[in-house]
Amino acid sequence: WGVHFALGYYRNPVNRWMPERLRIAYDLFYAAGAKVFTECNLPLQCTSLNSAFFTIKASPPIHEGDLECRGFDDPLCARSREIVSEFYRFTRFHERPALGPRVRLGYLLGNLDGWTGAESERMWMADLPGFLAPDALKTWRHFDRVFDREPWYVAPRKYYWQADPAKSLWHGTPPCGQVDIVPVEAKREALARYGCLVFLGWNTMTAEQYGKLKGYVEQGGTLFLGAPHLDTRTRADRPPALFRGGDVRDLCGVRILGRGEDIAEIYFDRQTTASGARFPQGALYLEEAPMARLELCGARILAYARDKPAQPVLLEHRVGKGCVYLLANWEYPGARLEAFITDILRTLAEAQQAELSVEGRDVFYSIYDGRMPSGAPLSAVYLVNHDIYGQPAYPRLRVAGAAFPVRAA
């Protein structure tokens, strides 16, 4: 797979930090496994750090009237060429191990989910009633917290880049340093690579997908989903139509009977029986949301409405070798249940940590597995220092519980 850079379009245009952002981006995506790197402004003389790589002029001019277009010998363009050259030389002599990077946590991109990574209220950016699904799209905000990200491009104003000093990256460390967005249409063997799969945004459930998810859990996978992810409707302006009429006993251990009561407080009463995961038992959440009305058919209640103990909020159901966690919300959460869902996802992520991990807010990391020429197994840990100033980072490498300080230049 590859990655396409458009730093001059979706970030602030040319400033002193642009070449350093390119340096971080190259290292980040290389560690994540990318093999193809492109930058859309390379062949154009336009507004970006690579605006003067060549003398070909854009037609029509890009960002016409802006003042940040630089010449070939500008220090920013020279520095960016230097970074590209250094990165190319590195890739020529360094070969990544064949097996990697490890990815244990996947976020499912549901059937007909129109999330694009940008904030929106409409699926597929279509201005039609059936595509209006703001809560389904907003629930993807939880993905932002599992990995470093920067806010999307904002509308420009004169000299707007001057109001943007070197922004620090928002940081979170997923298990093994990496996380994937996995289309729910993926094959069974692709889903089996992940220890945990999480639904956030829109999903239109089908019998084929249901069968794949059940098979994934039976083979030892962990699945987190909400009641709306079991809906079969294809438009947001139609009433809910749950898969098999809400009879999901074989996967979730419940029958969903319809809309339940609105709740205002959640109590985390029980601990999970799954190994490796430890939820915040005893925690109280003052958060409101409409719930689904359920009939228990083998599921175990972990959290419930504090003033309505008969109203489940989070349930656990063991299926084969794996486990399903069902959030009993009737609607997509959107901005609701913020703290509750955050704690659930952090717990599930922590349960997927490997015997190798990296502690520290200054680096990204990835783990590759391979073999030495002798045939002995090896694991390589790639550290990506994302300090915009190029200062060394000093994270800790954890190996089977022991911590070792390391230096990332």
Side-chain angles (χ1 to χ4, degrees), residues 333-357:
R336 293 169 293 192
L337 303 180
E338 189 85 354
F340 185 66
I341 295 176
T342 296
D343 282 354
I344 293 173
L345 297 182
R346 286 175 176 171
T347 299
L348 297 178
E350 184 63 24
Q352 297 300 319
Q353 291 287 4
E355 79 285 357
L356 287 173
S357 62

Side-chain angles (χ1 to χ4, degrees), residues 250-262:
D250 54 341
L251 180 64
C252 302
V254 300
R255 290 181 62 239
I256 305 174
L257 305 178
R259 179 172 180 138
E261 299 184 68
D262 292 353

Side-chain angles (χ1 to χ4, degrees), residues 372-390:
M372 301 177 69
S374 64
L378 68 85
S379 294
V381 180
Y382 287 82
L383 302 178
V384 178
N385 182 352
H386 58 66
D387 184 83
I388 196 76
Y389 305 103

Side-chain angles (χ1 to χ4, degrees), residues 200-224:
L200 289 179
W202 182 276
N203 183 60
T204 298
M205 184 62 74
T206 67
E208 180 184 2
Q209 293 163 11
Y210 188 89
K212 282 194 302 183
L213 293 172
K214 182 182 175 183
Y216 162 78
V217 178
E218 288 175 335
Q219 295 304 310
T222 298
L223 176 66
F224 173 76

Side-chain angles (χ1 to χ4, degrees), residues 55-364:
T55 58
I56 303 173
K57 294 183 178 180
S59 178
I62 299 177
H63 287 255
E64 184 175 13
D66 282 3
L67 303 177
E68 65 270 16
C69 188
R70 308 298 181 104
F72 186 84
D73 294 324
D74 186 273
L76 297 183
C77 294
R79 171 59 179 156
S80 66
R81 293 194 297 273
E82 189 178 276
I83 288 171
V84 172
S85 298
E86 290 175 353
F87 179 75
Y88 179 77
R89 286 194 296 269
F90 173 76
T91 61
R92 292 305 88 194
F93 75 80
H94 183 85
E95 184 176 352
R96 290 169 293 197
L99 301 178
R102 294 189 200 175
V103 187
R104 296 288 300 163
L105 178 63
Y107 280 74
L108 288 166
L109 186 67
N111 181 23
L112 302 184
D113 190 346
W115 181 70
T116 62
E119 294 184 6
S120 175
E121 292 188 347
R122 298 183 179 277
M123 308 286 282
W124 307 107
M125 301 183 184
D127 190 14
L128 296 169
F131 293 81
L132 183 63
D135 286 338
L137 293 169
K138 286 179 183 178
T139 308
W140 273 103
R141 62 198 292 149
H142 291 281
F143 180 76
D144 299 342
R145 294 182 177 149
V146 79
F147 208 68
D148 294 355
R149 106 184 249 282
E150 290 181 291
W152 191 247
Y153 176 77
V154 295
R157 58 181 184 272
K158 190 175 182 181
Y159 306 130
Y160 56 100
W161 61 92
Q162 294 179 358
D164 179 49
K167 288 182 177 178
S168 59
L169 296 174
W170 302 346
H171 183 72
T173 304
C176 302
Q178 301 294 312
V179 63
D180 281 351
I181 295 177
V182 185
V184 73
E185 296 85 359
K187 296 180 179 180
R188 292 175 182 263
E189 52 268 30
L191 298 181
R193 292 177 47 203
Y194 302 93
C196 179
L197 292 174
V198 172
F199 267 116
L200 289 179
W202 182 276
N203 183 60
T204 298
M205 184 62 74
T206 67
E208 180 184 2
Q209 293 163 11
Y210 188 89
K212 282 194 302 183
L213 293 172
K214 182 182 175 183
Y216 162 78
V217 178
E218 288 175 335
Q219 295 304 310
T222 298
L223 176 66
F224 173 76
L225 76 166
H229 298 120
L230 297 161
D231 201 340
T232 63
R233 59 177 171 165
T234 58
R235 295 173 58 99
D237 58 349
R238 292 177 179 170
L242 294 170
F243 180 73
R244 292 196 317 214
D247 186 353
V248 290
R249 289 175 287 181
D250 54 341
L251 180 64
C252 302
V254 300
R255 290 181 62 239
I256 305 174
L257 305 178
R259 179 172 180 138
E261 299 184 68
D262 292 353
I263 65 169
E265 298 178 346
I266 303 170
Y267 180 67
F268 223 122
D269 182 51
R270 294 179 178 177
Q271 191 55 261
T272 178
T273 59
S275 61
R278 287 296 174 264
F279 287 111
Q281 186 177 8
L284 178 66
Y285 301 84
L286 306 181
E287 297 184 302
E288 301 178 354
M291 291 289 108
R293 185 162 51 91
L294 306 178
E295 176 188 334
L296 298 185
C297 303
R300 179 171 173 263
I301 299 175
L302 300 183
Y304 54 78
R306 189 175 72 156
D307 59 341
K308 304 168 185 175
Q311 175 60 64
V313 179
L314 180 68
L315 304 100
E316 169 191 81
H317 185 55
R318 305 304 299 264
V319 181
K321 301 177 182 178
C323 185
V324 176
Y325 295 101
L326 175 67
L327 184 65
N329 53 310
W330 180 245
E331 301 172 352
Y332 288 100
R336 293 169 293 192
L337 303 180
E338 189 85 354
F340 185 66
I341 295 176
T342 296
D343 282 354
I344 293 173
L345 297 182
R346 286 175 176 171
T347 299
L348 297 178
E350 184 63 24
Q352 297 300 319
Q353 291 287 4
E355 79 285 357
L356 287 173
S357 62
V358 176
E359 293 180 345
R361 293 183 57 85
D362 303 319
V363 296
F364 301 101

